[in-house]
């Protein structure tokens, strides 16, 4: 059992009030190599964890269709059960999201249900969806032995949901005195609630495609869009946009979670990733975070149907001027907390200021647990060591949120070098 204990560096909250609602997560970091469970042609299933808190690590290899087929055949029973539960969940909870949706989608949900809305989104985004995603989803459907339309519907749900998330990118002066020695650390924390069935099937999907880079996404079994991911060449983060984002515009463009995955697979610099974002026909109003080992820097982007505003550490807080007092500008640091923006919550800035100059994995773990961000999952990326850290909510009740749960550290050099299983 390989464990690294994160030592408490900070004084207690009583001694140093950071205006945060949470307390530091002091659980050991899990660093043991994943253990092989099963394999099929072009895919292997590993597990990391102690049997109480686990995460699946799924390697897939090949062409787009082969990637999907291998994933589906390896995890066939899990995917079939998950999809049934997931659509039941969407039908039961759509009322919570419907007020944020364009009227056309609201009307369809009232007459044809959630399936009708997902089908409309699929039809609207189809002209902009790269062919390799179509092929992968066909492979996933064939391998899992579920209808292709069902797989497509599952992959349209990110265009319906609203989640409160956090991100940061720290580099240069923000990390120069710590273990990163000026290199890049990037966070993506997903706050989406823990009442949905995806919580039961977390997975780190490690892709070895025939085209582009090897990359990994922190996701769920049966879902191949990228909400959280890393390739060393690039890492991505995402958060819902501010409260005035347009709500009456139908999603007619490339699904945002497909575009973010293409950044991981095909881009090797901030310049190429940002060019992709600017050029794309976009759907959602979100913040996107992009880091790269080429520049060892991070940018945040206001990403919308007709928007692609790029922000760096010297920029005013994205979208707002003047910069809120609770969001001071710091060289080499771009950050957005989980709250509605512009946020005047001081916790995130206070923790980052506390560790400024030596922001590292230990600081990031304290940040997410004090801020209580990343309830269903979170990932952060050390571009210097080529580590991806991940945490997921517990699969069993009572729920332990990801930010309070075991943190897994994955050696991405080893995972990306993992050979394909023998046929």
């Amino acid at each position: 059992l390989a464990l690294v204990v994160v030592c408490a560096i900070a004084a207690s909250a009583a001694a140093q009030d950071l205006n945060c609602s949470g307390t530091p997560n002091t659980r050991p970091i899990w660093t043991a190599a994943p253990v092989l469970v099963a394999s099929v042609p072009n895919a292997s299933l590993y597990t990391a964890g102690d049997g109480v808190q686990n995460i699946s690590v799924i390697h897939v290899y090949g062409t787009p269709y082969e990637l999907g087929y291998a994933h589906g055949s390896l995890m066939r029973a899990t995917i079939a059960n998950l999809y049934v539960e997931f659509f039941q969940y969407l039908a039961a909870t759509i009322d919570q999201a419907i007020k944020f949706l364009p009227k056309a989608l609201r009307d369809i949900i009232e007459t044809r249900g959630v399936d009708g809305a997902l089908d409309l989104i699929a039809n609207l985004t189809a002209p902009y969806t790269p062919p390799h995603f179509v092929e992968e989803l066909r492979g996933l459907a064939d391998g899992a032995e579920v209808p292709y339309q069902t797989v497509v519907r599952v992959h349209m749900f990110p265009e319906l949901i609203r989640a409160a998330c956090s991100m940061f990118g720290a580099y240069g002066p923000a990390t120069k005195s710590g273990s990163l020695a000026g290199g890049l650390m990037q966070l993506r924390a997903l706050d989406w609630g823990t009442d949905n069935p995806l919580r039961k099937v977390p997975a780190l999907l490690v892709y070895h495609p025939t085209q582009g880079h090897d990359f990994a996404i922190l996701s769920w079994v049966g879902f191949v869009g990228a909400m959280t991911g890393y390739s060393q060449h690039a890492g991505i983060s995402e958060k819902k946009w501010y409260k005035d984002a347009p709500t009456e515009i139908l999603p007619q463009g490339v699904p945002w979670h497909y575009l973010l995955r293409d950044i991981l697979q095909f881009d090797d610099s901030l310049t190429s990733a940002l060019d992709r974002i600017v050029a794309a026909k976009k759907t959602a109003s979100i913040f996107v975070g992009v880091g790269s080992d080429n520049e060892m820097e991070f940018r945040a982007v206001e990403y919308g149907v007709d928007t692609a505003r790029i922000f760096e550490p010297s920029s005013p807080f994205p979208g707002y001027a003047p910069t809120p007092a609770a969001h001071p500008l710091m060289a080499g640091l771009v950050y957005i907390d989980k709250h509605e923006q512009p946020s005047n919550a001081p916790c995130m800035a206070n923790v980052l200021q506390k560790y400024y100059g030596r922001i590292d994995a230990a600081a990031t773990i304290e940040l997410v647990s004090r801020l209580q961000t990343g309830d269903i999952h979170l990932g952060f990326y050390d571009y210097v060591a080529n580590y991806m850290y991940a945490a997921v909510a517990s699969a069993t009740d009572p729920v332990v949120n990801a930010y309070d749960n075991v943190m897994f550290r994955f050696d991405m050099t080893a995972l990306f070098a993992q050979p394909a299983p023998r046929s």
Side-chain angles (χ1 to χ4, degrees):
L1 187 68
L3 297 173
V4 174
V5 178
V6 178
C7 299
I9 303 174
S12 68
Q16 182 179 10
D17 185 3
L18 296 171
N19 288 309
C20 297
S21 55
T23 56
N25 179 349
T26 58
R27 293 174 182 256
I29 297 174
W30 183 274
T31 63
V35 177
L36 179 65
V37 176
S39 63
V40 298
N42 292 319
S44 297
L45 170 64
Y46 292 75
T47 187
D50 59 3
V52 176
Q53 181 55 60
N54 292 344
I55 183 171
S56 296
V57 180
I58 300 172
H59 291 264
V60 289
Y61 303 79
T63 66
Y65 182 86
E66 289 170 341
L67 294 168
Y69 189 90
H71 180 178
S73 61
L74 180 68
M75 307 302 295
R76 183 175 296 143
T78 301
I79 290 171
N81 292 333
L82 171 66
Y83 284 1
V84 171
E85 289 187 51
F86 185 67
F87 284 114
Q88 292 172 345
Y89 163 78
L90 282 183
T93 60
I94 192 62
D95 286 347
Q96 300 172 23
I98 198 168
K99 64 182 178 180
F100 298 106
L101 300 177
K103 184 177 185 302
L105 287 177
R106 298 197 301 269
D107 290 345
I108 286 179
I109 290 171
E110 290 174 1
T111 58
R112 296 173 50 200
V114 176
D115 286 355
L118 295 171
D119 288 344
L120 175 60
I121 293 171
N123 290 335
L124 291 171
T125 58
Y128 309 96
T129 297
H132 54 273
F133 284 106
V134 176
E135 288 302 303
E136 184 174 349
L137 296 193
R138 290 194 183 281
L140 182 60
D142 291 347
E145 299 180 352
V146 297
Y148 173 68
Q149 186 178 32
T150 298
V151 175
V152 172
R153 285 172 175 170
V154 167
H155 285 81
M156 294 298 102
F157 86 83
E159 297 290 349
L160 288 181
I161 66 169
R162 294 294 183 269
C165 309
S166 304
M167 71 172 76
F168 79 68
Y171 58 91
T175 63
K176 66 178 182 180
S177 300
S179 60
L180 276 78
L184 176 60
M185 175 70 76
Q186 178 179 346
L187 166 71
R188 188 279 200 266
L190 175 60
D191 294 292
W192 184 32
T194 56
D195 60 341
N196 71 74
L198 295 178
R199 170 173 65 90
K200 302 174 185 178
V201 289
L204 183 70
L205 302 178
V206 185
Y207 277 80
H208 307 270
T210 53
Q211 294 183 323
H213 312 303
D214 288 3
F215 64 95
I217 57 173
L218 181 59
S219 186
W220 307 277
V221 173
F223 184 78
V224 305
M227 294 189 176
T228 305
Y230 173 78
S231 73
Q232 186 174 21
H233 300 285
I236 52 100
S237 309
E238 178 272 337
K239 173 186 169 56
K240 177 186 175 291
W241 209 14
Y242 50 84
K243 63 182 179 180
D244 295 325
T247 59
E248 292 305 319
I249 299 174
L250 288 170
Q252 293 180 281
V254 59
W256 61 264
H257 47 294
Y258 290 175
L259 186 145
L260 295 188
R261 212 190 88 170
D262 275 352
I263 289 174
L264 298 175
Q265 184 171 353
F266 298 113
D267 294 330
D268 56 9
S269 69
L270 272 178
T271 299
S272 59
L274 295 174
D275 285 348
R276 181 182 299 275
I277 292 172
V278 170
K281 175 70 172 173
K282 295 176 280 293
T283 57
S285 296
I286 56 178
F287 288 116
V288 168
V290 182
S292 173
D293 73 329
N294 186 50
E295 296 91 344
M296 277 295 177
E297 294 185 359
F298 174 92
R299 298 289 184 269
V301 182
E302 281 187 11
Y303 174 115
V305 173
D306 56 1
T307 305
R309 299 179 62 199
I310 300 167
F311 294 88
E312 55 189 59
S314 61
S315 305
F317 179 70
Y320 309 101
T323 295
H327 194 283
L329 300 180
M330 290 178 265
L333 183 59
V334 181
Y335 61 103
I336 306 173
D337 71 17
K338 68 178 183 177
H339 302 291
E340 186 176 90
Q341 305 300 322
S343 169
N344 285 306
C347 175
M348 189 172 196
N350 287 347
V351 177
L352 290 171
Q353 286 178 313
K354 171 184 172 182
Y355 286 101
Y356 185 78
R358 54 192 176 94
I359 295 172
D360 58 9
T364 304
I365 292 170
E366 179 172 338
L367 169 66
V368 296
S369 53
R370 285 193 180 275
L371 183 59
Q372 296 184 315
T373 187
D375 55 13
I376 190 166
H377 85 210
L378 64 92
F380 54 100
Y381 327 129
D382 179 338
Y383 287 78
V384 175
N386 202 20
Y387 291 150
M388 181 175 180
Y389 294 79
V392 297
S394 60
T396 57
D397 296 325
V399 177
V400 178
N401 290 315
Y403 53 75
D404 281 332
N405 213 347
V406 175
M407 300 283 168
F408 295 90
R409 191 187 76 189
F410 295 104
D411 181 343
M412 302 312 292
T413 300
L415 292 189
F416 291 149
Q418 181 71 35
R422 295 181 179 179
S423 301

